[in-house]
Amino acid sequence: MTSLPEESPSLIREGDREAAVRRLQEAYAEGLIPHEVLDEHLHQVLSAKTRSELASALVALPEEQPGSTATIAAAGGRIKRRGAWRVPRVLKVESAYGRVRLDLSRAVIEHPIVDIELQLGTGGARITVPRDAVVDVEGLSTGWKDLRYKIPRQPRPGGPTIRISGVMGYGRLKIRHALR
């Protein structure tokens, strides 16, 4: 009996399935599909075995916006963004040795969900999010120091969801909500 190669073009990888689930959740969060359609399509995605089955669950969704990903990178030094800057849908931040300061409290956030992917070596990072933001750090791996984030006692509804993922080497990540 011969086994199929691991990367057979018709079979899907777990990463493909996760990306499809994320696309469905974003379409729902943006109001593009109702809850019933989300449930039906999630079931299709989670039970799909081939790429064609996966694609059929996503065919009704609008195309993803091009240019919605940006990368900020520095080998050393500081990365700093504050004031009224436009936050892309996906922000990749890469730094080997420097510190990262992202202030989203006055930033223009056009998407209901923003993914911040950190790839940091030895520098620490501080992220200030809007007061009404929901922060998700489930996809973050910290190496040397722990994450410092205090969830607000009374979250305010209606804000964006900020998903922070990636890898922190030897630095510490501090997340705080803006005061106003």
Side-chain angles (χ1 to χ4, degrees):
M1 186 168 127
T2 309
S3 63
L4 289 173
E6 214 172 289
E7 290 296 319
S8 176
S10 63
L11 296 178
I12 59 172
R13 297 184 315 245
E14 205 53 39
D16 296 334
R17 187 183 315 277
E18 290 171 6
V21 167
R22 188 177 307 125
R23 256 193 90 205
L24 285 169
Q25 290 171 333
E26 290 167 3
Y28 175 71
E30 293 173 6
L32 300 175
I33 58 173
H35 181 70
E36 296 79 22
V37 173
L38 173 68
D39 286 344
E40 177 184 329
H41 287 266
L42 279 175
H43 177 71
Q44 286 178 338
V45 165
L46 295 174
S47 62
K49 291 182 177 33
T50 65
R51 291 182 190 268
S52 61
E53 291 173 350
L54 191 65
S56 69
L58 302 176
V59 73
L61 296 179
E63 291 295 318
E64 290 185 281
Q65 296 294 327
S68 61
T69 300
T71 301
I72 305 171
R78 294 181 181 163
I79 295 176
K80 191 177 210 178
R81 295 291 183 272
R82 66 179 198 186
W85 61 289
R86 187 173 304 278
V87 180
R89 166 66 190 84
V90 177
L91 178 63
K92 296 180 180 185
V93 181
E94 301 168 359
S95 177
Y97 302 108
R99 289 186 291 173
V100 174
R101 303 290 184 258
L102 299 177
D103 185 348
L104 283 69
S105 62
R106 294 186 180 149
V108 177
I109 301 175
E110 299 171 332
H111 308 281
I113 299 173
V114 172
D115 285 313
I116 299 176
E117 298 175 14
L118 300 175
Q119 296 296 324
L120 305 180
T122 59
R126 183 170 53 209
I127 301 174
T128 303
V129 299
R131 188 174 182 184
D132 57 351
V134 174
V135 178
D136 177 4
V137 292
E138 292 297 316
L140 183 68
S141 172
T142 58
W144 191 256
K145 296 187 178 180
D146 292 332
L147 164 72
R148 287 197 178 165
Y149 173 57
K150 184 178 177 183
I151 299 170
R153 287 187 201 184
Q154 297 182 352
R156 304 176 92 196
T161 298
I162 310 294
R163 294 190 300 209
I164 300 173
S165 63
V167 177
M168 296 282 301
Y170 294 101
R172 172 172 281 143
L173 174 60
K174 296 178 184 177
I175 303 170
R176 71 178 190 94
H177 288 265
L179 299 176
R180 51 187 166 125

